[in-house]
């Protein structure tokens, strides 16, 4: 049997380069080869944005971006997490065998608890359980995500295996983080810190529909070495970040040139950024056009979501019937 692919993105902002290279690029390849489910994680967004101003608008935007960037609703299943009540039901059941200690140790929980001390809600704590339910509801095995999601995938394996063991069934496969290249991707931000993210702020992030002017401005302002270029050949974090970004869009000879300049201690970061901005614009331009076009012609987006929900529920129902039967609950009608 072919492996099942599942992945989701939270509707907490416009898609950016990190989403594209970390996750989306793999969606495009996988939809051609596997039974694939790509959803919008709208429940998950409540863990950090409990009262989203315009949730419907944000969700439609991600659907539009999914379609504009090349997902084909006939080749894969595109749906909203909240259109699948079966996910919530599986989440509830998995929660019974998820332990406080292991949930408290999850890095993303600790990080969020630090950044939103006034809202350390139970949804945040059980975020990995809901994510496991998202994947296991389709018995997903391949999960295209960026490097930051590795630990969540490990938890999904733990919860799936635990269920199998506890109820002596062989229901859930072991979901693995997946990237078409050998390693999972982490796209850095522009301000010298960690990963590019929707929540990291404007200056850090390049959106896929960034205007040419803003794109250039953001890159020219990106943090590089302050003062003299280092002569020891070792790149600072901020400089490494710039080289990582070049790796995504620049030709190998351009990268070699700047590497050599850096090694010789004569690199001019203004030149590097100018080149990066140019190559980034070449990459972003067609994506920007496609997103702008799809958003303006969005009559079909609701239809796409409804069609996807129907397909996704077929798969989810099958799993929940087995889960209920395994535990000993009565079957319920799901029509
Ligand atoms: P964000 O982190 O911007 O809020 P999400 O958490 O919704 O975005 O992430 C959606 C997908 O994009 C996930 O698979 C995640 O691993 C990937 N992703 C997000 N940011 C990056 C990044 N900077 N580098 C690589 N992958 C990323
Ligand atoms: N946690 C993921 C992120 O922040 C989003 C997500 C939710 C997800 N459920 C998922 C990704 C299931 C893959 C599979 O990026």
């Amino acid at each position: 049997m072919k492996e099942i692919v599942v992945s989701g993105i939270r509707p907490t902002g416009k898609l950016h380069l990190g989403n594209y290279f970390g996750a989306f690029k793999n969606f495009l390849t996988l939809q051609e080869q596997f039974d694939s489910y790509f959803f919008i994680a709208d429940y998950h967004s409540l863990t950090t944005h409990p009262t989203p101003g315009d949730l419907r608008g944000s969700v439609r935007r991600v659907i539009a971006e999914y379609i504009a960037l090349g997902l084909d609703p006939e080749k894969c299943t595109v749906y909203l997490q909240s259109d699948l009540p079966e996910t919530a039901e599986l989440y509830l059941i998995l929660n019974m065998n998820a332990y406080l200690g292991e949930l408290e140790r999850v890095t993303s929980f600790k990080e969020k608890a630090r950044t939103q001390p006034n809202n350390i809600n139970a949804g945040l704590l059980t975020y990995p359980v809901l994510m496991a339910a998202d994947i296991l509801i389709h018995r997903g095995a391949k999960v295209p995500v960026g490097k930051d999601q590795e630990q969540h995938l490990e938890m999904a394996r733990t919860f799936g295996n635990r269920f199998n063991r506890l109820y002596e069934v062989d229901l859930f496969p072991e979901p693995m983080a997946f990237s078409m290249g050998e390693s999972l991707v982490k796209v850095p931000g522009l301000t010298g810190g960690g990963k590019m993210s929707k929540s990291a702020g404007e200056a850090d992030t390049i959106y896929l529909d960034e205007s040419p002017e803003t794109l250039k401005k953001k890159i020219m302002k990106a943090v590089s070495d302050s003062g003299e270029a280092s002569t020891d050949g070792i790149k600072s974090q901020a400089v490494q970040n710039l080289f990582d970004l070049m790796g995504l869009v620049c030709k190998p000879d351009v990268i070699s040139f700047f590497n050599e300049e850096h090694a010789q201690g004569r690199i001019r970061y203004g030149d590097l950024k100018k080149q990066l901005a140019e190559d980034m614009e070449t990459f972003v331009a067609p994506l920007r056009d496609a997103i702008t076009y799809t958003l303006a012609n969005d009559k079909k987006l609701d239809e796409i979501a409804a069609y996807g929900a129907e397909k996704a529920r077929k798969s989810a129902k099958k799993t929940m019937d087995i889960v209920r039967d395994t535990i000993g609950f009565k079957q319920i009608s799901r029509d």
Side-chain angles (χ1 to χ4, degrees), residues 9-10 12 16 18-19 22-23 145-146 148-149 185-187 195-198:
I9 295 185
R10 292 179 306 142
T12 46
H16 54 76
N19 300 135
V145 283
D148 59 310
Q149 297 299 312
V185 174
K186 176 186 150 189
V187 177
K195 70 157 197 157
M196 182 176 289
S197 145
K198 297 197 203 93

Side-chain angles (χ1 to χ4, degrees), residues 6-10 19 23 27 39-41 44 81 112 127 130-135 143-146 148-149 152-153 195 198:
V6 184
S7 193
I9 295 185
R10 292 179 306 142
N19 300 135
F27 294 6
F39 66 95
I40 294 157
H44 269 120
Q81 186 183 37
K112 298 266 167 61
Y127 186 113
L130 179 55
M131 183 158 160
D134 290 328
I135 300 165
V143 187
V145 283
D148 59 310
Q149 297 299 312
H152 288 157
L153 263 294
K195 70 157 197 157
K198 297 197 203 93

Side-chain angles (χ1 to χ4, degrees), residues 6-11 37-45 55-64 66-67 77-88 130 134 137-138 301-313 316:
V6 184
S7 193
I9 295 185
R10 292 179 306 142
Y37 296 86
F38 300 118
F39 66 95
I40 294 157
D42 47 1
Y43 283 147
H44 269 120
S45 67
L55 183 57
R56 210 170 295 244
S58 315
V59 165
R60 283 172 73 83
R61 182 170 179 107
V62 184
I63 304 178
Y66 272 10
I67 303 302
T77 301
V78 174
Y79 67 97
L80 310 191
Q81 186 183 37
S82 62
D83 275 342
L84 224 59
E86 289 80 2
T87 302
L130 179 55
D134 290 328
I137 198 72
H138 301 299
L301 297 180
D302 289 340
E303 270 167 51
I304 291 171
Y307 179 58
E310 202 180 306
K311 283 206 281 178
R313 287 201 70 193

Side-chain angles (χ1 to χ4, degrees), residues 10-44:
R10 292 179 306 142
T12 46
K14 304 198 287 182
L15 296 194
H16 54 76
L17 282 183
N19 300 135
Y20 190 87
F21 286 101
F24 199 87
K25 205 169 158 217
N26 290 310
F27 294 6
L28 293 177
T29 318
L30 291 167
Q31 72 169 343
E32 305 292 338
Q33 303 164 10
F34 294 94
D35 192 3
S36 306
Y37 296 86
F38 300 118
F39 66 95
I40 294 157
D42 47 1
Y43 283 147
H44 269 120

Side-chain angles (χ1 to χ4, degrees), residues 13-180:
K14 304 198 287 182
L15 296 194
H16 54 76
L17 282 183
N19 300 135
Y20 190 87
F21 286 101
F24 199 87
K25 205 169 158 217
N26 290 310
F27 294 6
L28 293 177
T29 318
L30 291 167
Q31 72 169 343
E32 305 292 338
Q33 303 164 10
F34 294 94
D35 192 3
S36 306
Y37 296 86
F38 300 118
F39 66 95
I40 294 157
D42 47 1
Y43 283 147
H44 269 120
S45 67
L46 296 185
T47 60
T48 51
H49 300 66
T51 52
D54 177 19
L55 183 57
R56 210 170 295 244
S58 315
V59 165
R60 283 172 73 83
R61 182 170 179 107
V62 184
I63 304 178
E65 290 181 317
Y66 272 10
I67 303 302
L69 297 174
L71 285 191
D72 179 344
E74 294 298 337
K75 289 185 180 160
C76 63
T77 301
V78 174
Y79 67 97
L80 310 191
Q81 186 183 37
S82 62
D83 275 342
L84 224 59
E86 289 80 2
T87 302
E89 191 180 355
L90 182 58
Y91 163 65
L92 181 152
I93 287 169
L94 294 178
N95 263 328
M96 305 303 169
N97 299 301
Y99 302 112
L100 183 61
E102 63 189 344
L103 294 171
E104 279 177 334
R105 279 196 297 277
V106 174
T107 316
S108 64
F109 172 70
K110 290 194 275 191
E111 217 174 272
K112 298 266 167 61
R114 202 161 7 92
T115 50
Q116 54 183 66
N118 296 323
N119 182 20
I120 309 177
N121 60 76
L124 210 51
L125 182 72
T126 56
Y127 186 113
V129 189
L130 179 55
M131 183 158 160
D134 290 328
I135 300 165
L136 299 176
I137 198 72
H138 301 299
R139 284 170 271 172
K142 276 188 162 48
V143 187
V145 283
K147 195 161 174 49
D148 59 310
Q149 297 299 312
E150 247 173 341
Q151 195 181 22
H152 288 157
L153 263 294
E154 197 184 314
M155 303 291 289
R157 288 192 287 279
T158 301
F159 299 138
N161 282 334
R162 198 172 282 161
F163 184 98
N164 286 348
R165 228 179 313 113
L166 202 60
Y167 297 103
E168 298 177 10
V169 286
D170 187 17
L171 178 61
F172 296 123
E174 286 201 322
M176 303 300 287
F178 179 81
S179 169
M180 298 303 289

Side-chain angles (χ1 to χ4, degrees), residues 57 75-76 79 118 168 217-218 277 300 305 318-319 324:
K75 289 185 180 160
C76 63
Y79 67 97
N118 296 323
E168 298 177 10
K217 223 182 278 166
K218 281 186 176 178
K300 278 171 93 179
K318 275 190 210 145
T319 304
R324 290 184 69 94

